[in-house]
Amino acid sequence: MPHRIIHYADDPTDRVAVQREDPAWLDDRLRSPTTRIVAVASGRHPFVRADSGTRQPCYLAPRDLDGALPGEPILLGVHEDITYFAVDVTEALPPFPPRVALLRIREVITDLGHADSAVLAYANALVHWHRTHRFCGACGKPTESVRGGHVRRCTDGACGREHFPRTDPAVITLVIDGDRCLLARRRDWAPGRRSTVAGFVEPGETLEHTVAREVFEEVGIRVGKVSYRGSQPWPFPQSLMLGFRAVAESTDIAVDGDEIAEADWYSPERIETDTAAGTLILPPFDSISRWLVDDWLHGKG
Ligand SMILES: [Zn+2]
């Protein structure tokens, strides 16, 4: 059964860009008992084990932090009248309730609802950006968080440069030849594991250019028509995956031998039989790589 959801996408919060500029509003929200705080500790979040046995996010209330936030609060947005902030607790873990464990989102993704996983991923992305942009890239002086944590500004008066959260675009491509698609194994992957072709966009490239370059570099295939299929935030730590389907104009595979160890063409029937036999392991279900494969298979059904 193909799944049609792109995980970590469509964060449900209203990002309230106007209120970010209002310190009094932010201060009020940070005191509100209904406010919820997403704690992030080195890419991990607190999860509590529910009675059902599943792990659920442990959002903190301001009172849980006893009035002292361990890090600079980052406004995420408002959803169903609840304001969400992210706080980096890596250096000072707050006292969590019993039965809480710090885990990465992907470790518990099968337990999470779509909204929770998207909010946690969003929080993870912003906290990572703050941790890695403490100094100004222009003059080297410290930066400070402003506008609800959506800008870091250089503290040097003569510089004052504003730095904005960054996301690294990467393309991920399912290459098609007639009734077959190409799946490749990275050199460091277990036998059987296959995925689509991926790579980062380089300066000066269009997305179509990146798709054609990465496919040719990794598997030696020339592609013609490239069509956009969908995108996925991938804040592990800071990528945006841009999903494409590309039509092959050549079919002789020549893997680079460095990044990619092997690649082959797969018909829907081969995907089914190889998966059943355990000789093919499709990409993880929460990845857009898997979504691209399912999207193609579904469109054929
Ligand atoms: Zn500066």
Side-chain angles (χ1 to χ4, degrees):
M1 179 74 183
H3 52 270
R4 308 295 296 165
I5 293 171
I6 297 183
H7 289 268
Y8 314 113
D10 303 320
D11 140 55
T13 61
D14 175 349
R15 298 191 174 199
V16 291
V18 173
Q19 285 91 327
R20 282 178 200 163
E21 312 279 340
D22 183 349
W25 185 87
L26 290 166
D27 193 51
D28 177 72
R29 291 294 87 199
L30 280 167
R31 296 169 192 275
S32 167
T34 62
T35 286
R36 291 293 174 265
I37 293 167
V38 181
V40 185
S42 300
R44 293 179 168 82
H45 310 271
F47 290 94
V48 65
R49 190 178 287 284
D51 292 339
S52 63
T54 64
R55 298 277 191 183
Q56 296 302 320
C58 174
Y59 296 112
L60 302 176
R63 66 172 181 276
D64 296 328
L65 300 169
D66 204 19
L69 289 165
E72 297 163 329
I74 302 163
L75 174 66
L76 298 174
V78 179
H79 177 52
E80 295 177 343
D81 294 329
I82 295 171
T83 307
Y84 288 86
F85 288 86
V87 173
D88 184 356
V89 300
T90 306
E91 268 80 42
L93 289 178
F96 292 120
R99 298 196 297 171
V100 160
L102 287 172
L103 299 165
R104 296 184 187 280
I105 304 170
R106 297 194 70 202
E107 294 178 81
V108 293
I109 184 63
T110 53
D111 289 352
L112 297 182
H114 189 68
D116 282 329
S117 63
V119 168
L120 294 178
Y122 173 28
N124 201 52
L126 276 174
V127 166
H128 174 79
W129 174 72
H130 278 271
R131 287 188 70 79
T132 53
H133 291 78
R134 294 173 180 177
F135 296 92
C136 177
C139 75
K141 297 287 183 353
T143 57
E144 61 181 353
S145 174
V146 294
R147 291 187 217 159
H150 288 259
V151 175
R152 289 195 72 85
R153 187 169 56 207
C154 179
T155 54
D156 183 88
C159 175
R161 183 172 291 213
E162 293 188 335
H163 302 271
F164 294 85
R166 60 174 293 176
T167 298
D168 297 340
V171 301
I172 186 150
T173 307
L174 185 71
V175 181
I176 304 295
D177 172 51
D179 200 33
R180 309 181 296 175
C181 73
L182 185 142
L183 297 173
R185 183 175 71 83
R186 294 175 66 96
R187 200 172 59 173
D188 54 348
W189 284 354
R193 185 173 167 194
R194 299 281 190 283
S195 189
T196 52
V197 175
F200 285 106
V201 180
E202 295 185 350
E205 284 187 321
T206 62
L207 300 176
E208 294 84 353
H209 187 167
T210 310
V211 168
R213 176 181 56 76
E214 285 287 344
V215 172
F216 187 73
E217 283 177 3
E218 295 191 359
V219 293
I221 300 288
R222 295 287 186 191
V223 297
K225 183 185 175 195
V226 171
S227 51
Y228 173 73
R229 302 300 298 172
S231 63
Q232 179 183 43
W234 195 250
F236 312 115
Q238 59 176 31
S239 295
L240 173 66
M241 308 305 291
L242 300 152
F244 292 89
R245 195 184 290 179
V247 177
E249 291 194 331
S250 64
T251 57
D252 290 339
I253 294 169
V255 296
D256 64 10
D258 178 27
E259 195 169 344
I260 302 297
E262 54 185 323
D264 206 352
W265 295 104
Y266 288 81
S267 65
E269 295 74 27
R270 184 179 175 193
I271 288 176
E272 189 173 339
T273 55
D274 284 12
T275 302
T279 53
L280 171 63
I281 301 164
L282 289 173
F285 84 100
D286 63 336
S287 66
I288 195 173
S289 178
R290 177 63 168 272
W291 184 89
L292 286 167
V293 173
D294 286 344
D295 171 56
W296 175 70
L297 289 170
H298 184 77
K300 305 183 81 59

